[in-house]
């Protein structure tokens, strides 16, 4: 992974907007205050919000200042926190002393050859050593907190209006300072990334988003290279370590390169949280059919997002076309897609998964994955589901299931069986299947209210329904496991040719539910689903006898011929398949759910079509032209 991050950094350094220079990167907060100063004049403080990369190495243990830009606790010795509490004045004084120590080191540096910069720095040191000036700055910055970022800007001479930390000589000095802080004393060796003999790092020079260490090697049991935790245990040079961490920070911050996959609602610091960062080795122009398309991350990212909409359909259509490089010298196998999944917290950045796959293989794997998860929605319209959509079903569960799901989508692995267990368990919950009130009319009898008890029950049901994932997502997860690698384009909608007894039993239950709804004009207290889905989906032979008697005596005689014929056809196919099974396996329970879902969606699609035809007849007055 580090090797590919270094290669990415070298490409980004060739002029990519937003990529930080060596030793710089993007902390989470902008620069909020700029101190403008001129010799012999009062200092002016400007409140602002500037998002710029800046020198910062992170602080894991003990105070450590950044050069010429830092939080107010360091730059100004300010003690009030964001919660309005006064921090220790002794500690803030210690922080400010570190800031001034680094500033004086810069003044004494042999490489400080710019006389104008030296003059400006001498003036700034004099100001920041004067407690009266510091008090004036703090008083002028209304609302400042100890965590606010502060920068310094001279208002005279050649450097007028420039942030001092961004001066070329300040950058050079800062890189040397970072090396002093991060290199292992006297340890040289072959860098594991570039292969050159260089001084090796004791720790990586930067942190992700300014607060998250990329590695934590504080015990001798963890290091490599047979070195102690104080040695060069990561085995890479400063240049490679800097490039890798800046590249990762860029991916972490750039909206087109990251996606939160699972978020623990109770803690931002939990290792359950999982974020993916991803990138292409390079964008590639392809001939797709008669057109030329550039494949980049904006095309591929919808696979990971939630509710990606039309963008996922566009990718799916593109994947079904033949891909041919527009430049004959380019081979798809030479390009690659990279994805890493991390769990960040305050102490370390845990790598959960690393995926590297060629563009040629990626195309085929994604096509098969999207084929397998495509299914009609509850009203019969074909729908695609992204990995993010399927994660709604997992509900921040086992992180291993997520990793295996990513391997299915990007590497072509078989889907994890745990997905079938999760989806079938959810489908056994009758609340998942309760029809939408707009479709069913009134799902509850308004005349059958038992006052407070009934209200409380409906409130509990409503809360439970909100906790459940969307029904189509659950069914798509089950379908993925059932069909992947077995003809992935099957079972998108109602399959009239399917002879599986379990699938047919699911269809039969949906037909009987439809008969009940039609007979009651779509106004019932409890449908067959709420009462019998769990039993019917696990033990059909013991359940369907009574349901068939009830349907044939109470519901079907009142209805038209079409529903009776459909029920007879399905029952005939069940007889031909060997009759009602006594017990259904986990896979068969998933097939049952698919059959029920497909048949119900087909009924709803017919009702929708009839309603639209009726509305058109009303608009035209029932006259055909």
């Amino acid at each position: 992974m580090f090797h590919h991050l270094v290669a990415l950094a070298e490409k980004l350094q060739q002029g990519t907007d937003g990529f930080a220079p060596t030793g710089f990167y993007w902390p989470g907060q902008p620069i909020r205050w700029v101190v403008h100063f001129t010799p012999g004049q009062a200092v002016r403080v400007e409140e602002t919000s500037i998002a710029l990369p800046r020198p910062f190495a992170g602080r894991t243990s003990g105070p450590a200042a950044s050069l010429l830009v830092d939080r107010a606790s360091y730059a100004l010795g300010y003690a009030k926190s964001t919660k309005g509490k006064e921090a220790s004045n002794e500690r803030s004084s210690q922080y400010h002393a570190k800031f001034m120590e680094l500033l004086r080191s810069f003044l004494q540096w042999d490489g400080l050859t710019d006389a104008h910069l030296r003059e400006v720095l001498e003036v700034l040191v004099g100001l920041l050593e004067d407690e009266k000036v510091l008090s004036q700055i703090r008083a002028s910055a209304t609302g400042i907190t100890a965590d606010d970022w502060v920068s310094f800007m001279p208002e005279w001479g050649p450097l007028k209006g420039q942030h001092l930390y961004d001066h070329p000589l300040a950058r050079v000095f800062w890189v040397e300072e970072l090396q002093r802080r991060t290199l292992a004393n006297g340890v040289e060796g072959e860098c594991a990334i570039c292969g050159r003999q260089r001084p090796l790092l004791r720790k990586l020079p930067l942190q992700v988003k300014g607060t998250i260490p990329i590695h934590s090697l504080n015990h001798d049991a963890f290091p490599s290279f047979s070195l102690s935790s104080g040695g060069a245990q990561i085995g890479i040079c400063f240049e490679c370590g800097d490039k890798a961490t800046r590249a990762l920070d860029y991916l972490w911050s750039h909206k087109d390169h990251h996606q939160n996959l699972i978020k623990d609602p109770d803690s931002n610091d939990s290792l359950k949280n999982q974020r993916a960062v991803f990138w292409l080795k390079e964008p590639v122009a392809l001939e797709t059919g008669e057109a030329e398309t550039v494949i980049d991350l904006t095309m591929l990212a919808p696979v990971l997002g939630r509710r990606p909409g039309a963008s996922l359909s566009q990718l799916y259509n593109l994947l079904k076309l033949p891909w041919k490089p527009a430049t004959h010298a380019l081979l798809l196998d030479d390009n690659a897609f990279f994805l890493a999944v991390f769990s960040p917290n305050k102490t370390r950045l845990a790598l959960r998964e690393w995926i590297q796959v060629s563009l040629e293989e990626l195309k085929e794997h994604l096509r098969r994955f999207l084929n397998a998860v495509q299914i009609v929605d509850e009203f019969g319209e074909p729908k695609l589901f992204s990995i993010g959509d399927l994660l709604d079903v997992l509900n921040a569960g086992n992180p291993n299931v997520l990793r295996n799901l990513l391997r299915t989508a990007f590497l072509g692995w078989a889907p994890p069986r745990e997905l079938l267990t999760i989806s079938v368990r959810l489908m056994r919950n009758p609340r998942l299947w309760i029809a939408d009130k707009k479709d069913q009319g009134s799902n509850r009898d308004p005349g059958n209210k038992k006052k407070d008890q009934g209200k409380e029950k409906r409130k509990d049901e409503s809360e439970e329904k909100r906790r459940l994932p969307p029904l189509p997502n659950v069914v798509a997860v089950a379908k993925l496991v059932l069909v992947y690698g077995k003809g992935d384009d099957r079972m998108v909608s109602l399959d009239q040719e399917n002879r599986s007894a379990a699938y047919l039993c699911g269809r039969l239950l949906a037909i009987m539910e439809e008969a009940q709804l039609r007979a009651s004009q779509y106004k019932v207290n409890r449908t067959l689903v709420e009462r019998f889905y769990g039993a019917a989906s696990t033990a059909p032979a013991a359940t369907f006898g009574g349901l068939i008697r009830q349907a044939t005596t109470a519901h079907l005689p009142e209805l038209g011929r079409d529903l009776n014929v459909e029920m007879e056809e399905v029952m005939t196919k069940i007889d031909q398949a060997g009759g009602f099974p006594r017990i259904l396996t986990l896979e068969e329970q998933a097939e049952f759910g698919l059959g029920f879902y497909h048949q119900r969606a087909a009924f709803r699609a017919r009702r929708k079509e009839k309603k639209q035809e009726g509305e058109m007849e009303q608009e035209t007055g029932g006259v055909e032209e």
Side-chain angles (χ1 to χ4, degrees), residues 28-34 46-52 54 149:
Q29 298 84 17
I31 296 173
R32 190 174 172 209
W33 305 95
V34 179
E46 175 192 7
E47 184 174 4
T48 183
S49 182
I50 306 172
L52 289 173
R54 66 206 78 155
W149 279 82

Side-chain angles (χ1 to χ4, degrees), residues 88-146:
S88 166
N89 287 325
E90 181 180 350
R91 178 173 296 179
S92 61
S93 298
Q94 181 185 14
Y95 292 164
H96 185 59
K98 285 290 183 181
F99 185 84
M100 296 302 297
E101 180 184 334
L102 182 61
L103 185 52
R104 293 189 193 95
S105 296
F106 186 27
L107 259 175
Q108 297 167 5
W109 178 51
D110 292 339
L112 185 56
T113 56
D114 186 327
H116 298 293
L117 178 58
R118 181 178 294 277
E119 177 190 359
V120 166
L121 292 176
E122 289 173 347
V123 172
L124 180 60
V125 167
L127 292 172
L128 295 181
E129 287 178 338
D130 190 331
E131 186 57 40
K132 291 183 178 179
V133 174
L134 285 176
S135 299
Q136 177 196 344
I137 294 174
R138 297 165 190 159
S140 302
T142 305
I144 190 173
T145 71

Side-chain angles (χ1 to χ4, degrees), residues 59 71 109 117 297 391 484 527 572 608:
R59 294 179 269 261
R71 301 186 187 278
W109 178 51
L117 178 58
L297 283 177
L391 290 179
Y484 190 83
T527 68
T572 299
K608 182 180 179 181

Side-chain angles (χ1 to χ4, degrees), residues 367-389:
R367 184 193 63 79
R368 290 180 60 192
F369 175 79
L370 292 176
N371 265 343
V373 297
Q374 185 182 29
I375 196 169
V376 293
D377 65 15
E378 294 169 282
F379 295 91
E381 295 293 331
K383 184 177 180 181
L384 288 165
F385 295 86
S386 66
I387 291 173
D389 293 328

Side-chain angles (χ1 to χ4, degrees), residues 20 63 231 268 290 323 450-451 559 594 622:
N268 291 328
E290 298 179 355
W323 286 11
K450 293 186 178 180
K451 304 300 179 184
L559 305 177
L594 271 174

